[in-house]
Amino acid sequence: MAVSADGLIACSAAGQLSGAAWLGDRDLRIVKFCNGELIGKKVKLTYLRRCIKKGSVRPQVNMVLTANVAGEPKLKVLEMEKRDPRTVVAIILGGGVGSRLFPLTKHRAKPAVPIGGSYRLIDVPMSNCINSGIKKVYILTQFNSASLNRHLARAYNFAGGVTFGDGFVEVLAATQTPGEAGQRWFQGTADAVRQFHWLFEDARNRHIEDVLILSGDHLYRMDYMDLVEDHHQSGADITISSLPMDDSRASDFGLMKIDGKGRVLSFREKPKGNDLKAMEVDTTVLGLSREEAEKKPYIASMGVYVFKKEILLNILRWRFPTANDFGSEIIPASAREFFIKAYLFNDYWEDIGAIRSFFEANLALTAHPSKFNFYDANKPMYTSRRNLPPTKIDNSKIVDSIISHGSFLTNCFIEHSLVGIRSRINSNVHLKDTVMLGADNYETDIEITSLLAEGRVPIGIGENTKIKDCIIDKNARIGKNVVIANSEGIQEADRSSEGFYIRSGITIILKNSTITDGLVI
């Protein structure tokens, strides 16, 4: 192999590489034979540095091994665009009332709900944006946004938090403006974006080419720039990140019908019965094996969209000016008029928008190994810096559990549970299948002694208490000799006057509530 003065790689006919290349600091992966068989080998090549003018696109060489009629292998060089993250702006939807997550959303927006012991749901899309190099982010909020705003200010500011350079993180709260239309609050996801459409014509957004729409209540790890690059290579107006789905869950999501090239032909939001069966597709089109495609014959939307900026503005302003929601209105109507492409994301993704899914996703983090892992040094999940001390554990047994920092565990048994920050668990307590969200502050030993002397309950869990199948919200005060087990198997109950609800069979202890000594639930 020889390198010419103009940077071309000249190769012999014996199967070596040929083509113009600027490789940067990347390895190339030869991914498929022409018949689809995986090779899975990394090829390390000498890096060639060339001066390329700065711009939104830089060339990247991908090489695909093919075979001609005579059977001789050839390497075909494909020039592809490498998008600049600075041309992408992300919009994270703060969610509506959050009724499916109530009562966890009684005093906070859905994206502010704690998860994983020390994170909040908003940290997931925010961290994915940062790890993808996308540093222009808007968060649209409307309901119970105080704690969300506080968390964003602490975690993602320019002074003490994550540094964004020439980027920004801005909260766009629902507001009223002059005119009849300006008197309404957000009517849906699309209407929320429409009410701030003028931002895309702001001077600092003049170089924006693509708008990434994200939800604030999902758990997954994704490089959004892979999605954006696929969006450009296909020439699509809109690209929807999608998951293969089986029969058991398909009716809970928006489903797509696609053609042989992955183009979306139709879209149905949460179809049932015969409408559901009509949405079956051959998912091998997106790269699934025949066996996996038979198990997962549906393609579900993740609620992650990429729009060309001009297409989005056209849709919101002129084409569908009264459509309020992306999933139920904009996407189904656009499928008939615009080029919409499905992008396969065949990895862990979970909708945390309901109590049962929130509960199960948290407990699933305790598995060995877990399907989702917060412990990724290359793509970390960010959150606010709390500077908490390590957890203190005294004579306790912990099995298949996660204990967050700054907690105190004394002579207790924690089994298949997740314990949040600043938690205090006292002697002879047994937690099983429990998600404890922790506390916002500590009580001093003097304060605890004073509360006990007055017959009141400190923050945390008192002695001899047994808890199972429960979510304990922040700052809850659970007394001594309490039993929380829902032994009667009640599915739904409003016992807020006593400090708890039961939703989907799970007992939820309210934030800042007090469960008195000896109570049996």
Side-chain angles (χ1 to χ4, degrees), residues 444-463:
T444 65
D445 290 340
I446 295 176
E447 289 173 329
I448 292 172
T449 302
S450 176
L451 287 168
L452 292 173
E454 296 171 6
R456 297 162 61 190
V457 181
I459 292 176
I461 303 176
E463 299 173 357

Side-chain angles (χ1 to χ4, degrees), residues 126-360:
M126 283 299 307
S127 298
N128 285 335
C129 284
I130 294 168
N131 294 330
S132 302
I134 298 171
K135 297 182 179 178
K136 296 179 179 178
V137 183
Y138 293 113
I139 299 103
L140 298 181
T141 65
Q142 178 162 302
F143 292 96
N144 284 336
S145 57
S147 63
L148 176 61
N149 295 343
R150 185 166 55 246
H151 176 75
L152 290 168
R154 290 173 177 173
Y156 306 103
N157 61 67
F158 294 98
V162 178
T163 302
F164 279 78
D166 61 348
F168 55 82
V169 175
E170 290 187 7
V171 175
L172 304 177
T175 185
Q176 293 186 329
T177 57
E180 182 179 349
Q183 302 306 305
R184 302 175 306 167
W185 298 112
F186 295 156
Q187 302 300 302
T189 54
D191 184 63
V193 177
R194 180 186 293 113
Q195 291 195 31
F196 285 98
H197 68 82
W198 52 270
L199 281 171
F200 302 122
E201 297 175 339
D202 190 74
R204 65 176 175 174
N205 289 330
R206 63 186 181 278
H207 298 304
I208 295 299
E209 298 176 9
D210 302 292
V211 181
L212 181 66
I213 307 293
L214 306 170
S215 295
D217 57 355
H218 299 157
L219 181 61
Y220 63 110
R221 181 179 276 106
M222 182 179 184
D223 187 337
Y224 295 136
M225 290 310 298
D226 289 344
L227 170 62
V228 173
E229 287 175 18
D230 183 86
H231 172 70
H232 277 268
Q233 290 163 22
S234 68
D237 298 316
I238 307 167
T239 299
I240 305 175
S241 189
S242 57
L243 291 161
M245 192 64 63
D246 58 21
D247 291 279
S248 64
R249 302 178 62 196
S251 61
D252 295 332
F253 300 95
L255 301 181
M256 294 171 274
K257 284 281 262 188
I258 60 172
D259 64 14
K261 295 183 179 179
R263 178 168 184 163
V264 176
L265 303 177
S266 62
F267 185 97
R268 296 291 296 272
E269 184 73 5
K270 300 179 180 180
K272 312 287 184 186
N274 292 333
D275 291 338
L276 175 62
K277 282 295 180 185
M279 298 306 292
E280 286 189 358
V281 296
D282 179 9
T283 49
T284 59
V285 169
L286 295 179
L288 271 66
S289 67
R290 175 59 59 186
E291 182 181 1
E292 191 175 10
E294 290 176 357
K295 295 178 181 177
K296 299 178 178 180
Y298 300 100
I299 299 175
S301 169
M302 292 169 55
V304 175
Y305 314 111
V306 179
F307 287 80
K308 290 179 179 177
K309 183 179 76 171
E310 299 306 324
I311 294 294
L312 178 63
L313 292 177
N314 176 43
I315 287 173
L316 295 179
R317 288 172 169 171
W318 313 115
R319 190 63 197 90
F320 307 116
T322 60
N324 291 326
D325 189 74
F326 282 112
S328 62
E329 297 177 81
I330 294 289
I331 299 300
S334 298
R336 296 188 289 268
E337 300 185 25
F338 297 93
F339 178 13
I340 303 181
K341 175 80 162 43
Y343 171 84
L344 179 67
F345 179 75
N346 196 13
D347 206 338
Y348 180 87
W349 176 90
E350 191 61 59
D351 182 355
I352 314 291
I355 287 294
R356 172 59 66 176
S357 60
F358 173 83
F359 179 71
E360 292 177 348

